[in-house]
Amino acid sequence: MSGNHYKGHEVSCCIKYFIFGFNILFWLLGMALVGVGLWAWSEKGVLSNISSITDLGGLDPVWLFMVVGGVMFILGFAGCIGALRENTFLLKFFSVFLGIIFFLELTAGILAFVFKDWIKDQLNLFINNNIRAYRDDIDLQNLIDFTQEYWECCGAFGADDWNLNIYFNCTDGNRSREKCGVPYSCCTKDPAVRLGRADLRWILLVAFFFLLLLLPFFLICLQEDVINTQCGYDVRAKRDSEQKDYINVKGCVPQFERWLQNNLTLVAGMFIGVALLQIFGICLAQNLVSDIEAVRTSWAARLLSARRVPADGPEKQRAASCESHAKRVAFRWVSVGSVSPAWWNVAATTQ
């Protein structure tokens, strides 16, 4: 058979191993995020008491690790194994799953633009619910502190939103030392400290795009100045004109809107970049599926043509050699689930 090398459709090795290499990174990163989420839950005792998952009134940031990590793990597994084993089922699942995510992102973006006021109200409600649960979960507390520090804000629309928390409200029945106060993250920072951290925050903002909630922990670990956690005590008992000397009086919702307006190009570029990566991944997976199916079809045609050769002579020997090689290829596809049993029957009928 060495003198009659078959020339036909071939699976592109470049596309195959590019998809494999790209997805194995997502697979490993997804495993890492899920592992961090499970570790965080074990540290908080959630794994020993599963019912406590729903006890928190606000958002448990660990859910973001678990959901994002789980999606990345599933996508990475399907793309990585599907490309390596030339499994069309996994590759099609990868394409469809990625397409659904792209469609959901596009839909969410359009709805957020059309229903801006509704989104604003829901964001206000979301922040207030998390303010109520501020002391209930350390991860949620770190997330709120990071948000208020980064956007230099306090509460959803102002510092008085902290009246919703049982430890910070100004009611007569509140015996907490934090009565009529705010968290330390609401306090104003020294201008020199803010200037020194400006570049660091931009770097960490890019890291946030890839690592999600790891950003607050990085920022906390990299802070070198001593934090005065009592700077917000009794500050709301002062007059409104005096409060701005101690805390940031602007709400996080208006500050977030202002940040979006000032960084619209950056945000739009990030979303476009993600969308292009998703479309690129879908196209590569579909291209690889087309190559695999084209090779299957060519080998099926070759097996069928081998049945029509003369009974004797060198043509029969060449056909038998080609048939044997085609059956070995077909058996390899069957063994990895890349070909249907019905196609294998084509090869079986030539025996």
Side-chain angles (χ1 to χ4, degrees):
M1 186 176 174
S2 59
N4 294 279
H5 179 68
Y6 176 73
K7 294 182 179 180
H9 295 282
E10 294 182 356
V11 175
S12 173
C13 291
C14 292
I15 296 178
K16 174 180 176 178
Y17 290 107
F18 182 83
I19 295 176
F20 169 77
F22 187 75
N23 281 281
I24 199 170
L25 296 178
F26 277 87
W27 190 11
L28 295 175
L29 185 57
M31 290 176 61
L33 290 176
V34 172
V36 170
L38 292 174
W39 171 79
W41 269 347
S42 67
E43 289 293 311
K44 294 190 292 187
V46 173
L47 296 182
S48 59
N49 183 17
I50 301 298
S51 62
S52 62
I53 293 179
T54 58
D55 291 344
L56 183 63
L59 169 70
D60 187 352
V62 178
W63 274 112
L64 292 181
F65 280 92
M66 299 299 293
V67 173
V68 175
V71 171
M72 293 179 66
F73 177 85
I74 294 173
L75 273 177
F77 174 82
C80 177
I81 303 301
L84 184 64
R85 304 297 295 177
E86 298 179 9
N87 189 306
T88 55
F89 173 78
L90 288 178
L91 289 172
K92 289 178 180 179
F93 172 80
F94 172 81
S95 299
V96 172
F97 198 6
L98 201 57
I100 292 174
I101 294 175
F102 173 77
F103 176 76
L104 291 177
E105 291 172 348
L106 183 63
T107 303
I110 294 174
L111 292 178
F113 179 78
V114 175
F115 302 102
K116 290 185 288 186
D117 294 335
W118 183 83
I119 294 295
K120 187 176 179 179
D121 293 338
Q122 293 301 311
L123 183 60
N124 178 32
L125 180 62
F126 174 77
I127 294 176
N128 287 336
N129 286 336
N130 286 292
I131 285 176
R132 293 186 181 95
Y134 177 75
R135 292 297 189 195
D136 298 343
D137 185 83
I138 186 62
D139 295 327
L140 175 61
Q141 181 176 315
N142 289 334
L143 180 61
I144 292 176
D145 286 336
F146 164 75
T147 303
Q148 293 189 144
E149 277 192 305
Y150 184 81
W151 279 310
E152 297 180 355
C153 58
C154 191
F157 284 95
D160 289 337
D161 289 334
W162 282 97
N163 274 325
L164 297 171
N165 189 278
I166 60 174
Y167 300 100
F168 294 99
N169 64 50
C170 296
T171 58
D172 296 334
N174 185 9
R175 298 181 179 275
S176 170
R177 180 62 188 88
E178 296 174 314
K179 176 182 178 180
C180 267
V182 292
Y184 75 90
S185 53
C186 287
C187 297
T188 57
K189 300 295 186 297
D190 187 284
V193 175
R194 289 201 299 266
L195 182 61
R197 293 183 189 170
D199 295 335
L200 176 62
R201 286 179 173 177
W202 274 108
I203 295 173
L204 293 177
L205 181 62
V206 176
F208 178 73
F209 175 66
F210 296 101
L211 301 180
L212 298 172
L213 290 179
L214 290 178
L215 180 59
F217 304 111
F218 288 155
L219 186 61
I220 292 171
C221 293
L222 291 172
Q223 286 177 336
E224 297 180 356
D225 55 311
V226 178
I227 298 175
N228 178 12
T229 58
Q230 300 180 2
C231 61
Y233 283 12
D234 304 318
V235 70
R236 287 191 297 115
K238 303 178 185 294
R239 291 182 298 180
D240 293 343
S241 59
E242 296 178 355
Q243 289 183 15
K244 63 182 180 181
D245 295 331
Y246 299 93
I247 63 172
N248 299 307
V249 295
K250 296 180 180 179
C252 291
V253 174
Q255 287 294 89
F256 176 66
E257 291 178 333
R258 179 184 175 187
W259 180 87
L260 278 180
Q261 293 174 356
N262 294 337
N263 299 276
L264 188 59
T265 303
L266 174 64
V267 174
M270 292 170 61
F271 276 101
I272 292 174
V274 172
L276 290 177
L277 281 177
Q278 291 173 334
I279 295 173
F280 185 61
I282 293 172
C283 292
L284 285 181
Q286 289 299 111
N287 193 304
L288 185 57
V289 169
S290 298
D291 285 351
I292 294 172
E293 291 179 345
V295 172
R296 287 187 200 168
T297 303
S298 65
W299 280 109
R302 192 176 182 188
L303 280 171
L304 292 174
S305 64
R307 300 172 60 186
R308 303 187 182 95
V309 298
D312 298 309
E315 291 294 333
K316 180 179 179 181
Q317 296 178 357
R318 284 197 295 269
S321 178
C322 292
E323 179 183 350
S324 176
H325 180 64
K327 287 181 178 180
R328 286 197 299 270
V329 173
F331 179 77
R332 179 173 66 87
W333 275 328
V334 170
S335 64
V336 299
S338 297
V339 68
S340 63
W343 190 91
W344 175 248
N345 290 336
V346 176
T349 56
T350 62
Q351 293 181 343

